[in-house]
Amino acid sequence: MATITIRLKDETRDRIAEAAESQGVLLSDYIRGALETHLALEPSGDIGTDRSEIGEEISLEPFQRKVLQLLHRNLLATMGGLEDSYYDHAEEVRALKVLENGFAGEYSKEFVDINDPMTRAECELVWDIFDMFRVIQASVSQLGKDGWNEVKVGNARRYGSFGGFDFNDSDEARLANYAEFLVKNDRWTEQIEAFSRTNGGGNSHSRMLPTYLAMLRVFKPIWRQNIRGGLSVGLLSVEDVERILLASPGAKFEGE
């Protein structure tokens, strides 16, 4: 196994150490797992079909995002498609007064509707999570209508299904917002039910990211090996599915 030496700021090193300790893993294992998580899955068949094309990462400043936002709003308004929720007459008048008079202390209010950007790595993490559950679901469906009964893990269907994100966790809430955006824009549409009202709109009410990361650390090497071996697209063996589900905290094997 190759060894790589990297330099980190003390603050970054301390944050990684705290995260590793909280998960009860070695620092090196945590870093290795984090790096693997952010590597893109090798596209094959359905995997990768809902992902954006890989290209140069574009970074936009808040001012640039605001200008583009207003241009799109103007286009919608021109075509009669701007929702009422996007227009507040009093607020628009206030903004004009601020800009006309150069009230610099009020400028920040112009950007209250511009959220912190999600990095490419965060977006790819959501793609990876959705792709993992797509493969698991496809693999189990190939076993027949009683496929989940073939998986010897307690509550296999629950562990093998996307369970949303915790809206009370700031990091997971950001991922949830993007995940819902993807599904409602016709990508990974098989997850539409996860964001239904009956499922709390995708709110898991408990942190799910550690579980997804643990599953991804098992899933990714298995999937890459399957691709290299030329196995059927989208299929994992029952044993592979069991290994992935057992990475979830609390999952237990119920075989003979």
Side-chain angles (χ1 to χ4, degrees):
M1 183 177 294
T3 300
I4 299 176
T5 301
I6 60 174
R7 294 183 181 277
L8 299 172
K9 293 181 180 179
D10 291 342
E11 179 184 357
T12 302
R13 196 273 180 192
D14 292 343
R15 289 179 60 189
I16 295 174
E18 290 175 4
E21 183 178 0
S22 68
Q23 295 187 23
V25 299
L26 295 174
L27 183 63
S28 58
D29 290 337
Y30 180 86
I31 294 174
R32 186 183 305 110
L35 290 173
E36 289 180 351
T37 295
H38 291 299
L39 289 175
L41 287 170
E42 298 178 46
S44 176
D46 285 341
I47 299 300
T49 57
D50 283 323
R51 293 168 174 253
S52 297
E53 293 183 6
I54 300 298
E56 181 180 354
E57 185 165 358
I58 298 173
S59 177
L60 297 174
E61 295 298 323
F63 174 79
Q64 296 170 311
R65 292 170 60 197
K66 185 67 178 181
V67 170
L68 290 172
Q69 177 204 49
L70 291 175
L71 287 174
H72 284 292
R73 283 188 181 182
N74 288 338
L75 179 59
L76 287 172
T78 301
M79 303 302 294
L82 185 69
E83 297 178 6
D84 291 341
S85 60
Y86 281 104
Y87 179 74
D88 184 326
H89 179 78
E91 179 59 26
E92 297 302 327
V93 172
R94 184 206 66 80
L96 282 174
K97 294 290 186 182
V98 167
L99 295 170
E100 288 171 351
N101 292 280
F103 297 147
E106 304 296 320
Y107 286 173
S108 62
K109 293 182 180 179
E110 284 293 292
F111 303 97
V112 294
D113 58 347
I114 302 295
N115 298 321
D116 291 337
M118 287 190 65
T119 64
R120 174 83 186 194
E122 288 177 303
C123 293
E124 289 185 351
L125 175 57
V126 176
W127 303 348
D128 286 352
I129 292 170
F130 275 167
D131 276 344
M132 174 177 67
F133 285 109
R134 172 175 285 180
V135 171
I136 291 173
Q137 296 282 339
S139 300
V140 173
S141 68
Q142 293 294 321
L143 301 175
K145 64 178 181 179
D146 297 324
W148 285 112
N149 294 329
E150 300 294 322
V151 182
K152 304 305 180 183
V153 175
N155 296 314
R157 185 189 296 272
R158 177 169 67 85
Y159 285 114
S161 301
F162 174 68
F165 291 102
D166 186 359
F167 290 6
N168 291 320
D169 182 276
S170 59
D171 291 332
E172 292 204 16
R174 284 161 50 81
L175 298 178
N177 187 39
Y178 181 55
E180 184 178 18
F181 166 82
L182 292 172
V183 172
K184 290 188 175 181
N185 282 272
D186 299 325
R187 295 159 68 184
W188 289 280
T189 53
E190 70 271 16
Q191 299 298 348
I192 191 67
E193 185 64 25
F195 294 94
S196 66
R197 183 173 298 179
T198 56
N199 285 315
N203 190 354
S204 60
H205 299 289
S206 62
R207 294 189 70 228
M208 295 300 298
L209 189 55
T211 294
Y212 298 151
L213 291 175
M215 295 174 68
L216 280 169
R217 292 185 190 112
V218 177
F219 167 74
K220 282 193 168 185
I222 293 175
W223 183 246
R224 292 194 191 98
Q225 187 61 43
N226 282 4
I227 293 173
R228 294 190 184 104
L231 300 182
S232 299
V233 173
L235 295 181
L236 299 171
S237 68
V238 173
E239 292 75 18
D240 287 340
V241 173
E242 291 171 348
R243 287 173 58 196
I244 296 166
L245 301 192
L246 288 172
S248 302
K252 296 182 178 179
F253 184 66
E254 293 188 346
E256 296 180 358

